[in-house]
Amino acid sequence: MKPAILGGAPIRTTSLPYARQYVDDDDCLAVNKVLKSAFLTTGPKVKEFEEEIANYVKAKYAVAFSNGTAALHGACYAAGIGGGDEVITTPITFAASSNCVLYSGGTPVFADIDENTFNIDVDEIAKKITNKTKAIIPVDYTGQAVDIDGIKELIKGTDIVIIEDGAHSLGTKYKGARVGGLVDMAMFSFHPVKTITTGEGGIITTNNEEYYTKLINFRSHCITRDIDQLINKDIGGWYYEQLDLGYNYRMTDFQAALGISQMKKIDWFIQRRKEIVERYNEAFKDLEGVILQENADFSDTVNHLYVIKLNLPKLKADRKEIFDAFQAENIGVYVHYIPVYWHPYYQKLGYKKGLCPKAEELYNAMLTVPLFPAMTDNDVEDVIKGFYKIINYYRK
């Protein structure tokens, strides 16, 4: 069957994106109710949302931020990351996972991935630890949990802080427990294509009261009215103090209201994602030219992304040709992610290509396949038909 890019009929007449939010009437009503209330900025709904997320992941505390990047910045601040400190992370992630280190004055250090799970490799982390290592930011790539116990064992007896970047993994379980309460701090993102959305938004969960206090202050200019924190006390009810340099990273109440409403649907979101992933896995497992991401036994994964690796030696086209062919079929494949240190800004900082060979090999061959709860069964079958059409046509 001739691909659409070469003049054949496309699989679909309308474009299917790689992801899209699911917002229903209940979500709209929840937001509208807050818009008519006394609070628009940070108020009771933010607190309610924080408590809901904390309870969901079994963490003592949660602090909501304006977005996931701001939340990671807050976590770096709480961890005390500054000039001269190194922080280890993966290159296969959105730039925020390492940008937050730069915001804090630290130096990102990139460790290579496991070629099967695509997650950061604990053995590679071990090679990068020095006496300057202040923290590790492992990323639950595509939603699959990193080897948390492996990382903990690696840093046992040190003061290294684990900040889990769970932007992809709300709802994922590691050895039976939901990620978010298992490390020093964890971040979840609520961007529209994540498990739930608040439009923009992020959150840090932690069991550490000191981190919690620092996070609360940091998101609001490090300004406090808390009598226990004030340097000058008993001045008056109007009084507040700025204790450090913080930022305006607050979430709004109407965002939080959307998040609370979305949490009522999270079980269905998770179930539907898993159904689609199961169908893909079954359809693609024997498709020559496609290599599936391996899921570690310890991770009960809620996939935010479904990423495959093209077996390029078996294909007579490169990734760009394959990508363009899918776009012509109206199947919105994408690529997540360009290795962070390949970006021009990081190149100017002195990072060089070749730093993490396995990550770079994956990048050159990866495709993100459409995955979101609102996909119909017909949408899913269109994607599968598209893969068989394109991969078989370009197979050697």
Side-chain angles (χ1 to χ4, degrees), residues 34 39-43 45-46 49 64-66 198 200 249-258:
V34 171
F39 290 91
L40 290 184
T41 58
T42 307
K45 284 296 178 183
V46 169
F49 181 54
F65 285 79
S66 53
T198 60
E200 286 281 4
Y249 280 163
R250 296 186 295 266
M251 177 180 279
T252 66
D253 253 29
F254 55 87
Q255 287 176 291
L258 176 57

Side-chain angles (χ1 to χ4, degrees), residues 150-163:
I151 297 172
K152 285 182 174 180
E153 182 64 27
L154 180 64
I155 63 171
K156 184 186 293 184
T158 74
D159 295 326
I160 296 172
V161 178
I162 302 174
I163 303 170

Side-chain angles (χ1 to χ4, degrees), residues 176-386:
R178 289 196 184 107
V179 299
L182 306 176
V183 297
D184 297 298
M185 287 177 275
M187 185 278 289
F188 297 108
S189 168
F190 307 119
H191 182 275
V193 298
K194 300 303 198 303
T195 308
I196 68 164
T197 187
T198 60
E200 286 281 4
I203 206 163
I204 298 292
T205 55
T206 184
N207 295 310
N208 185 304
E209 186 176 6
E210 180 182 350
Y211 291 157
Y212 171 70
T213 300
K214 288 181 176 179
L215 290 161
I216 287 287
N217 288 344
F218 185 76
R219 75 170 176 193
S220 192
H221 299 283
C222 281
I223 288 175
T224 184
R225 298 177 185 273
D226 185 343
I227 190 69
D228 294 329
Q229 296 184 57
L230 295 178
I231 305 301
N232 300 295
K233 305 181 189 299
D234 301 324
I235 291 179
W238 52 267
Y239 187 70
Y240 56 86
E241 291 176 345
Q242 181 178 336
L243 304 177
D244 204 348
L245 182 61
Y247 292 76
N248 182 356
Y249 280 163
R250 296 186 295 266
M251 177 180 279
T252 66
D253 253 29
F254 55 87
Q255 287 176 291
L258 176 57
I260 293 165
S261 180
Q262 289 264 300
M263 284 296 290
K264 295 175 182 176
K265 296 180 277 286
I266 192 169
D267 289 343
W268 177 73
F269 289 158
I270 289 171
Q271 177 187 344
R272 183 57 181 157
R273 286 179 178 275
K274 287 190 171 187
E275 288 172 354
I276 297 169
V277 167
E278 184 177 1
R279 178 70 185 104
Y280 281 163
N281 286 344
E282 180 63 28
F284 298 149
K285 66 180 182 181
D286 297 320
L287 180 58
E288 191 174 0
V290 168
I291 300 170
L292 300 186
Q293 180 186 17
E294 183 179 300
N295 193 79
D297 292 340
F298 53 67
S299 181
D300 179 0
T301 301
V302 178
N303 281 79
H304 154 54
L305 300 173
Y306 189 91
V307 173
I308 62 95
K309 181 180 179 182
L310 296 170
N311 193 343
L312 292 175
K314 293 184 178 293
L315 301 173
K316 55 188 178 184
D318 62 17
R319 194 262 307 279
K320 183 182 184 303
E321 292 175 85
I322 301 291
F323 179 92
D324 291 344
F326 274 107
Q327 296 295 322
E329 301 292 340
N330 287 313
I331 296 173
V333 296
Y334 205 67
V335 174
H336 294 89
Y337 297 91
I338 301 166
V340 175
Y341 58 81
W342 278 26
H343 290 299
Y345 179 75
Y346 279 80
Q347 295 281 296
K348 287 191 292 185
L349 293 177
Y351 295 89
K352 304 295 184 185
K353 292 185 178 182
L355 186 60
C356 297
K358 293 177 184 176
E360 295 179 21
E361 180 190 3
L362 173 63
Y363 164 66
N364 285 321
M366 67 163 64
L367 283 178
T368 301
V369 183
L371 172 63
F372 54 96
M375 286 180 72
T376 66
D377 289 345
N378 286 338
D379 291 334
V380 175
E381 295 306 314
D382 282 347
V383 173
I384 293 169
K385 290 174 187 174

Side-chain angles (χ1 to χ4, degrees), residues 96-115:
S97 304
S98 60
N99 284 351
C100 62
V101 180
L102 295 174
Y103 300 155
S104 302
T107 300
V109 175
F110 295 99
D112 212 344
I113 62 168
D114 179 282
E115 61 187 349

